[in-house]
Structure formats: C-alpha cells, structure tokens
Amino acid sequence: MSDCIFCKIVAGDIPCDKVYEDDLMIAIKDVAPAAPVHVLLIPKVHTENILTVDSKLCLHMLSKIKQIVDKLGIAEKGFRVVINTGDDGGQTVKHLHIHIIGGKVLGWPPC
Ligand code: AMP
C-alpha cells in the first residue's frame, strides 16, 4: 500500500534497524521503544491486522519468535508478545505487526 509506513520500510524506502529478515517478514527495532528491547515483526505483504492475516503467514511469524528472542538475548528472562488490533486495541499502524518487548520486568495490566 503506497501510504503505509511499514510497506515503505519493507520496500527499503524508509530506513530501519533490521534484526531479522526472510522471504515473508522482517523484524525491526521499534523507533520509540517501550522497553530496553522492543522489536516489531512485520509481514512483507500488506495485511491490516490479526483478523485479516493468512493463517499460514501468521504461524510462520509466530514460529520465528524463538529465533529472534534468542538473538536479542531475552529468551531466558522472558518477554511480552503484543498484537494491538484496531482503534480500541491501540493499533496506530494499520499493517499487522507483532511487538516483542523485554529487557526489563514489565508491568501488568498494560492499561
Ligand atoms: P501500534 O501502536 O501497535 O500500531 O504500534 C506501532 C509501532 O510502530 C509503535 O510502537 C511505533 O513506535 C512503531 N513505529 C512507527 N514508525 C516506525 C518506524 N519508522 N520504524 C520503527 N518503528 C516504528
């Protein structure tokens, strides 16, 4: 989608700090991290959210979490996986992304 910031990042038109890439997705550092470690898993194809994503693509993205948190060094202590969805869910970028947040003890509830 031409006006989608994550499509522009996937296309290489906007710079990012990439920590993982394969044929279907990228993982990048969040530009405004909520914790010492904060990355976003982003599918290369534009799809709005968890309700619209192809289930195989969703499973592929989830299956890469272990590899990515191992690389980030947060697997042992733990982390949080968040998928904000829609306006009430706090989704500001309408291109599916999975937050991985960690590197400190996280509060709960998140709101
Ligand atoms: P959400 O509120 O769930 O839609 O999350 C969107 C996330 O994208 C926020 O945490 C933003 O900080 C992050 N973000 C927005 N623009 C960029 C960018 N250019 N590079 C990296 N992260 C971004």
Side-chain angles (χ1 to χ4, degrees):
M1 256 177 84
S2 59
D3 61 344
C4 170
I5 190 167
F6 286 174
C7 284
K8 289 178 182 167
I9 289 174
V10 167
D13 296 337
I14 293 178
C16 69
D17 194 345
K18 205 176 286 178
V19 298
Y20 175 83
E21 179 170 18
D22 64 29
D23 289 347
L24 299 177
M25 60 176 276
I26 58 173
I28 65 169
K29 292 188 180 174
D30 196 294
V31 75
V37 179
H38 188 170
V39 302
L40 305 171
L41 279 50
I42 301 172
K44 289 188 172 178
V45 66
H46 183 89
T47 187
E48 184 165 338
N49 61 37
I50 192 67
L51 303 177
T52 61
V53 65
D54 173 81
S55 57
K56 281 186 184 166
L57 174 56
C58 187
L59 187 58
H60 173 82
M61 294 175 71
L62 293 173
S63 75
K64 296 300 171 184
I65 290 175
K66 178 174 176 5
Q67 182 180 340
I68 292 167
V69 298
D70 280 346
K71 182 176 180 181
L72 296 170
I74 57 171
E76 192 176 333
K77 285 202 139 188
F79 55 91
R80 184 167 293 156
V81 175
V82 175
I83 307 175
N84 293 330
T85 305
D87 293 335
D88 280 5
Q91 183 180 9
T92 58
V93 179
K94 301 298 198 269
H95 177 135
L96 173 68
H97 48 285
I98 300 173
H99 297 257
I100 297 177
I101 303 166
K104 70 170 189 177
V105 177
L106 301 168
W108 191 264
C111 50

